[in-house]
Amino acid sequence: ANGSINLNPDFSPNGREIIYTSYKKGKPDLYRRDLFSTAEARISSHPGINITGAWAPDGSRVALSLSRDGNAEIYLISKDGGRMARLTRNSAIDTSPAWSPDGGKIAFLSDRLGKPQIFVMNADGSNPYRLTTSGAYNVSPAWSPKGDHILYCRQEGGGFQIYSITPDGKDDTRLTSEGSNEQPRWSPDGRFITFSSTRDGSPAIYVMR
């Protein structure tokens, strides 16, 4: 309730904090907020964007996208904003990091081949590979709690549809077909998926198996 744009909230693994991007200081900076005391700290305020922050499964680190060196790249910072490491290095836009549940890999969005596709790399930035090979515009990776599937959204027609794919690029399966469906997220037990859909006319939140 700060009268500004606030984006991309992500719960800490222990459920006590969130990180989110806010424009309340005039530019997109990353904040960490305690949900019980409401104490808050700005943990990333580099020039340019500080967006799509994602907690590591162990709660000690945050992956995010920064444009401090020009274009958007994926970085790692500690939860207090220190010990920065750059994970991607290219002239493309790299954003939307999503951790594997064991913390060993990160899925992310990149347009390094011309249009947005989902890639996967080791958590230290090594061995990146393209995950999605079908569709010209794929976004919003979300790793399952068991680590066996990754959700993403593929642009089709005038909207998006949700797909599931294994980390080795197999079993690419369409999960939605009505309206435009975006921002899929897993329930903690992996049994359900929440998402935004226009299937009944206006955008609303839905749950599916």
CSV table of all heavy atoms in Angstrom, one decimal, residues 73-110:
chain,number,residue,atom,x,y,z
A,73,GLU,N,20.6,-9.4,-17.3
A,73,GLU,CA,21.3,-10.7,-17.1
A,73,GLU,C,20.9,-11.2,-15.8
A,73,GLU,O,20.4,-10.5,-14.9
A,73,GLU,CB,22.8,-10.4,-17.1
A,73,GLU,CG,23.4,-9.8,-18.4
A,73,GLU,CD,23.5,-10.8,-19.5
A,73,GLU,OE1,23.1,-12.0,-19.4
A,73,GLU,OE2,24.0,-10.3,-20.6
A,74,ILE,N,21.1,-12.5,-15.6
A,74,ILE,CA,20.8,-13.2,-14.3
A,74,ILE,C,22.0,-13.1,-13.4
A,74,ILE,O,23.1,-13.4,-13.8
A,74,ILE,CB,20.4,-14.7,-14.5
A,74,ILE,CG1,19.3,-14.8,-15.6
A,74,ILE,CG2,20.0,-15.3,-13.2
A,74,ILE,CD1,18.0,-14.3,-15.1
A,75,TYR,N,21.7,-12.7,-12.1
A,75,TYR,CA,22.7,-12.6,-11.1
A,75,TYR,C,22.2,-13.4,-9.8
A,75,TYR,O,21.1,-13.7,-9.7
A,75,TYR,CB,22.9,-11.1,-10.7
A,75,TYR,CG,23.6,-10.3,-11.7
A,75,TYR,CD1,23.0,-9.8,-12.8
A,75,TYR,CD2,25.0,-10.0,-11.5
A,75,TYR,CE1,23.6,-9.0,-13.7
A,75,TYR,CE2,25.6,-9.2,-12.5
A,75,TYR,CZ,24.9,-8.7,-13.6
A,75,TYR,OH,25.6,-7.9,-14.5
A,76,LEU,N,23.2,-13.7,-9.0
A,76,LEU,CA,22.9,-14.2,-7.7
A,76,LEU,C,23.4,-13.2,-6.6
A,76,LEU,O,24.5,-12.6,-6.8
A,76,LEU,CB,23.7,-15.5,-7.4
A,76,LEU,CG,23.2,-16.8,-8.0
A,76,LEU,CD1,24.0,-18.0,-7.5
A,76,LEU,CD2,21.7,-17.0,-7.5
A,77,ILE,N,22.6,-13.0,-5.6
A,77,ILE,CA,23.0,-12.2,-4.4
A,77,ILE,C,22.6,-12.9,-3.2
A,77,ILE,O,21.8,-13.8,-3.2
A,77,ILE,CB,22.3,-10.8,-4.4
A,77,ILE,CG1,20.8,-10.9,-4.4
A,77,ILE,CG2,22.7,-10.0,-5.6
A,77,ILE,CD1,20.0,-9.6,-4.2
A,78,SER,N,23.3,-12.6,-2.1
A,78,SER,CA,22.9,-13.2,-0.8
A,78,SER,C,21.6,-12.5,-0.4
A,78,SER,O,21.2,-11.5,-0.9
A,78,SER,CB,23.9,-12.9,0.3
A,78,SER,OG,24.2,-11.5,0.5
A,79,LYS,N,20.9,-13.1,0.6
A,79,LYS,CA,19.5,-12.6,1.0
A,79,LYS,C,19.6,-11.1,1.5
A,79,LYS,O,18.6,-10.5,1.6
A,79,LYS,CB,18.8,-13.5,1.9
A,79,LYS,CG,19.5,-13.6,3.3
A,79,LYS,CD,18.6,-14.5,4.2
A,79,LYS,CE,19.2,-14.5,5.6
A,79,LYS,NZ,18.3,-15.4,6.5
A,80,ASP,N,20.8,-10.7,2.0
A,80,ASP,CA,20.9,-9.3,2.5
A,80,ASP,C,21.4,-8.4,1.4
A,80,ASP,O,21.7,-7.2,1.7
A,80,ASP,CB,21.8,-9.3,3.7
A,80,ASP,CG,23.2,-9.8,3.4
A,80,ASP,OD1,23.5,-10.2,2.3
A,80,ASP,OD2,24.0,-9.8,4.4
A,81,GLY,N,21.6,-8.9,0.2
A,81,GLY,CA,22.0,-8.1,-0.9
A,81,GLY,C,23.5,-8.1,-1.2
A,81,GLY,O,24.0,-7.4,-2.2
A,82,GLY,N,24.3,-8.8,-0.5
A,82,GLY,CA,25.8,-8.9,-0.7
A,82,GLY,C,26.2,-10.0,-1.6
A,82,GLY,O,25.3,-10.8,-2.2
A,83,ARG,N,27.5,-10.2,-1.8
A,83,ARG,CA,28.1,-11.3,-2.5
A,83,ARG,C,27.5,-11.6,-3.8
A,83,ARG,O,26.9,-12.7,-4.1
A,83,ARG,CB,28.1,-12.6,-1.6
A,83,ARG,CG,28.8,-12.5,-0.3
A,83,ARG,CD,29.1,-13.8,0.3
A,83,ARG,NE,27.9,-14.6,0.5
A,83,ARG,CZ,27.1,-14.6,1.5
A,83,ARG,NH1,27.3,-13.7,2.5
A,83,ARG,NH2,26.0,-15.3,1.6
A,84,MET,N,27.6,-10.6,-4.7
A,84,MET,CA,26.9,-10.7,-6.1
A,84,MET,C,27.8,-11.6,-7.0
A,84,MET,O,29.0,-11.5,-7.1
A,84,MET,CB,26.7,-9.3,-6.6
A,84,MET,CG,25.9,-9.4,-7.9
A,84,MET,SD,25.5,-7.7,-8.4
A,84,MET,CE,27.1,-7.0,-8.7
A,85,ALA,N,27.1,-12.4,-7.8
A,85,ALA,CA,27.7,-13.2,-8.9
A,85,ALA,C,26.9,-13.1,-10.1
A,85,ALA,O,25.7,-13.3,-10.1
A,85,ALA,CB,27.9,-14.6,-8.4
A,86,ARG,N,27.5,-12.9,-11.3
A,86,ARG,CA,26.8,-12.8,-12.5
A,86,ARG,C,26.8,-14.2,-13.2
A,86,ARG,O,27.8,-14.9,-13.3
A,86,ARG,CB,27.5,-11.8,-13.5
A,86,ARG,CG,26.8,-11.7,-14.8
A,86,ARG,CD,27.4,-10.5,-15.6
A,86,ARG,NE,27.0,-10.5,-17.0
A,86,ARG,CZ,27.3,-9.5,-17.8
A,86,ARG,NH1,28.1,-8.5,-17.5
A,86,ARG,NH2,26.8,-9.5,-19.1
A,87,LEU,N,25.6,-14.7,-13.6
A,87,LEU,CA,25.5,-16.0,-14.1
A,87,LEU,C,25.4,-16.1,-15.6
A,87,LEU,O,25.8,-17.1,-16.2
A,87,LEU,CB,24.2,-16.7,-13.5
A,87,LEU,CG,24.2,-16.8,-12.0
A,87,LEU,CD1,22.9,-17.6,-11.6
A,87,LEU,CD2,25.4,-17.5,-11.4
A,88,THR,N,24.8,-15.1,-16.3
A,88,THR,CA,24.7,-15.1,-17.7
A,88,THR,C,25.5,-14.0,-18.3
A,88,THR,O,25.6,-12.9,-17.7
A,88,THR,CB,23.2,-15.0,-18.2
A,88,THR,OG1,22.7,-13.8,-17.7
A,88,THR,CG2,22.4,-16.2,-17.6
A,89,ARG,N,26.0,-14.2,-19.5
A,89,ARG,CA,26.8,-13.2,-20.2
A,89,ARG,C,26.6,-13.3,-21.7
A,89,ARG,O,27.2,-14.1,-22.4
A,89,ARG,CB,28.3,-13.4,-19.9
A,89,ARG,CG,28.7,-13.2,-18.5
A,89,ARG,CD,30.2,-13.4,-18.2
A,89,ARG,NE,30.6,-13.2,-16.8
A,89,ARG,CZ,30.9,-12.1,-16.3
A,89,ARG,NH1,30.9,-11.0,-17.0
A,89,ARG,NH2,31.2,-12.0,-15.0
A,90,ASN,N,25.7,-12.4,-22.2
A,90,ASN,CA,25.4,-12.4,-23.6
A,90,ASN,C,24.7,-11.1,-23.9
A,90,ASN,O,24.4,-10.3,-23.0
A,90,ASN,CB,24.6,-13.6,-24.1
A,90,ASN,CG,23.3,-13.7,-23.4
A,90,ASN,OD1,22.4,-13.0,-23.6
A,90,ASN,ND2,23.3,-14.7,-22.5
A,91,SER,N,24.5,-10.8,-25.2
A,91,SER,CA,23.8,-9.5,-25.6
A,91,SER,C,22.3,-9.6,-25.5
A,91,SER,O,21.6,-8.7,-25.9
A,91,SER,CB,24.3,-9.2,-27.0
A,91,SER,OG,23.9,-10.2,-27.9
A,92,ALA,N,21.8,-10.8,-25.1
A,92,ALA,CA,20.3,-10.9,-25.1
A,92,ALA,C,19.7,-10.5,-23.7
A,92,ALA,O,20.5,-10.2,-22.8
A,92,ALA,CB,20.0,-12.4,-25.4
A,93,ILE,N,18.4,-10.6,-23.6
A,93,ILE,CA,17.7,-10.3,-22.3
A,93,ILE,C,17.5,-11.7,-21.6
A,93,ILE,O,16.9,-12.6,-22.2
A,93,ILE,CB,16.4,-9.7,-22.6
A,93,ILE,CG1,16.6,-8.3,-23.2
A,93,ILE,CG2,15.6,-9.6,-21.3
A,93,ILE,CD1,15.3,-7.6,-23.6
A,94,ASP,N,18.0,-11.8,-20.4
A,94,ASP,CA,17.9,-13.0,-19.6
A,94,ASP,C,17.2,-12.6,-18.3
A,94,ASP,O,17.6,-11.7,-17.6
A,94,ASP,CB,19.2,-13.6,-19.2
A,94,ASP,CG,20.0,-14.1,-20.5
A,94,ASP,OD1,19.4,-14.6,-21.4
A,94,ASP,OD2,21.2,-13.9,-20.5
A,95,THR,N,16.0,-13.3,-18.0
A,95,THR,CA,15.2,-12.9,-16.9
A,95,THR,C,14.4,-14.1,-16.4
A,95,THR,O,14.6,-15.2,-16.8
A,95,THR,CB,14.3,-11.7,-17.3
A,95,THR,OG1,13.6,-11.2,-16.1
A,95,THR,CG2,13.3,-12.1,-18.3
A,96,SER,N,13.6,-13.8,-15.3
A,96,SER,CA,12.7,-14.8,-14.8
A,96,SER,C,13.3,-16.1,-14.3
A,96,SER,O,12.9,-17.2,-14.7
A,96,SER,CB,11.6,-15.1,-15.8
A,96,SER,OG,10.8,-14.0,-16.2
A,97,PRO,N,14.3,-16.0,-13.4
A,97,PRO,CA,15.0,-17.3,-13.0
A,97,PRO,C,14.0,-18.1,-12.1
A,97,PRO,O,13.2,-17.5,-11.3
A,97,PRO,CB,16.1,-16.8,-12.1
A,97,PRO,CG,15.7,-15.4,-11.7
A,97,PRO,CD,14.9,-14.9,-12.8
A,98,ALA,N,14.1,-19.4,-12.2
A,98,ALA,CA,13.2,-20.4,-11.4
A,98,ALA,C,14.1,-21.5,-11.0
A,98,ALA,O,14.7,-22.2,-11.8
A,98,ALA,CB,12.1,-20.9,-12.3
A,99,TRP,N,14.3,-21.7,-9.7
A,99,TRP,CA,15.2,-22.7,-9.1
A,99,TRP,C,14.6,-24.1,-9.2
A,99,TRP,O,13.4,-24.3,-9.0
A,99,TRP,CB,15.4,-22.4,-7.6
A,99,TRP,CG,16.2,-21.1,-7.4
A,99,TRP,CD1,15.7,-19.8,-7.2
A,99,TRP,CD2,17.6,-21.0,-7.1
A,99,TRP,NE1,16.8,-19.0,-7.0
A,99,TRP,CE2,17.9,-19.7,-6.9
A,99,TRP,CE3,18.6,-22.0,-7.1
A,99,TRP,CZ2,19.2,-19.2,-6.6
A,99,TRP,CZ3,19.9,-21.5,-6.8
A,99,TRP,CH2,20.2,-20.2,-6.6
A,100,SER,N,15.5,-25.1,-9.4
A,100,SER,CA,15.1,-26.4,-9.2
A,100,SER,C,15.0,-26.7,-7.7
A,100,SER,O,15.6,-26.0,-6.9
A,100,SER,CB,16.1,-27.4,-9.8
A,100,SER,OG,17.4,-27.3,-9.2
A,101,PRO,N,14.1,-27.6,-7.2
A,101,PRO,CA,13.9,-27.8,-5.8
A,101,PRO,C,15.2,-28.2,-5.0
A,101,PRO,O,15.3,-27.9,-3.8
A,101,PRO,CB,12.9,-28.9,-5.7
A,101,PRO,CG,12.9,-29.5,-7.0
A,101,PRO,CD,13.3,-28.5,-8.0
A,102,ASP,N,16.2,-28.8,-5.7
A,102,ASP,CA,17.4,-29.1,-5.0
A,102,ASP,C,18.4,-28.0,-5.0
A,102,ASP,O,19.5,-28.1,-4.5
A,102,ASP,CB,18.0,-30.4,-5.5
A,102,ASP,CG,18.5,-30.3,-7.0
A,102,ASP,OD1,18.3,-29.2,-7.6
A,102,ASP,OD2,18.9,-31.3,-7.6
A,103,GLY,N,18.1,-26.9,-5.7
A,103,GLY,CA,19.0,-25.7,-5.8
A,103,GLY,C,20.2,-25.9,-6.7
A,103,GLY,O,21.0,-25.0,-6.8
A,104,GLY,N,20.2,-27.0,-7.5
A,104,GLY,CA,21.3,-27.2,-8.4
A,104,GLY,C,21.2,-26.6,-9.8
A,104,GLY,O,22.2,-26.4,-10.4
A,105,LYS,N,20.0,-26.2,-10.2
A,105,LYS,CA,19.8,-25.7,-11.5
A,105,LYS,C,18.8,-24.5,-11.5
A,105,LYS,O,18.0,-24.3,-10.5
A,105,LYS,CB,19.3,-26.7,-12.5
A,105,LYS,CG,20.3,-27.9,-12.8
A,105,LYS,CD,19.7,-28.9,-13.8
A,105,LYS,CE,20.7,-30.0,-14.0
A,105,LYS,NZ,21.9,-29.5,-14.7
A,106,ILE,N,18.9,-23.7,-12.5
A,106,ILE,CA,18.0,-22.5,-12.7
A,106,ILE,C,17.4,-22.5,-14.1
A,106,ILE,O,18.2,-22.5,-15.0
A,106,ILE,CB,18.7,-21.2,-12.4
A,106,ILE,CG1,19.2,-21.2,-10.9
A,106,ILE,CG2,17.8,-20.0,-12.7
A,106,ILE,CD1,20.0,-19.9,-10.6
A,107,ALA,N,16.1,-22.6,-14.2
A,107,ALA,CA,15.4,-22.3,-15.5
A,107,ALA,C,15.3,-20.8,-15.6
A,107,ALA,O,15.1,-20.1,-14.6
A,107,ALA,CB,14.1,-23.0,-15.5
A,108,PHE,N,15.3,-20.3,-16.8
A,108,PHE,CA,15.2,-18.9,-17.0
A,108,PHE,C,14.7,-18.6,-18.5
A,108,PHE,O,14.7,-19.4,-19.3
A,108,PHE,CB,16.5,-18.1,-16.8
A,108,PHE,CG,17.6,-18.5,-17.7
A,108,PHE,CD1,18.0,-17.7,-18.7
A,108,PHE,CD2,18.4,-19.7,-17.5
A,108,PHE,CE1,19.1,-18.0,-19.6
A,108,PHE,CE2,19.4,-20.0,-18.3
A,108,PHE,CZ,19.8,-19.2,-19.3
A,109,LEU,N,14.3,-17.3,-18.7
A,109,LEU,CA,13.8,-16.9,-20.0
A,109,LEU,C,14.9,-16.1,-20.7
A,109,LEU,O,15.6,-15.2,-20.1
A,109,LEU,CB,12.6,-16.0,-19.7
A,109,LEU,CG,12.0,-15.2,-20.9
A,109,LEU,CD1,11.4,-16.2,-21.9
A,109,LEU,CD2,10.9,-14.3,-20.4
A,110,SER,N,15.1,-16.4,-22.0
A,110,SER,CA,16.1,-15.7,-22.7
A,110,SER,C,15.7,-15.5,-24.2
A,110,SER,O,15.0,-16.4,-24.7
A,110,SER,CB,17.5,-16.4,-22.7
A,110,SER,OG,18.5,-15.7,-23.5
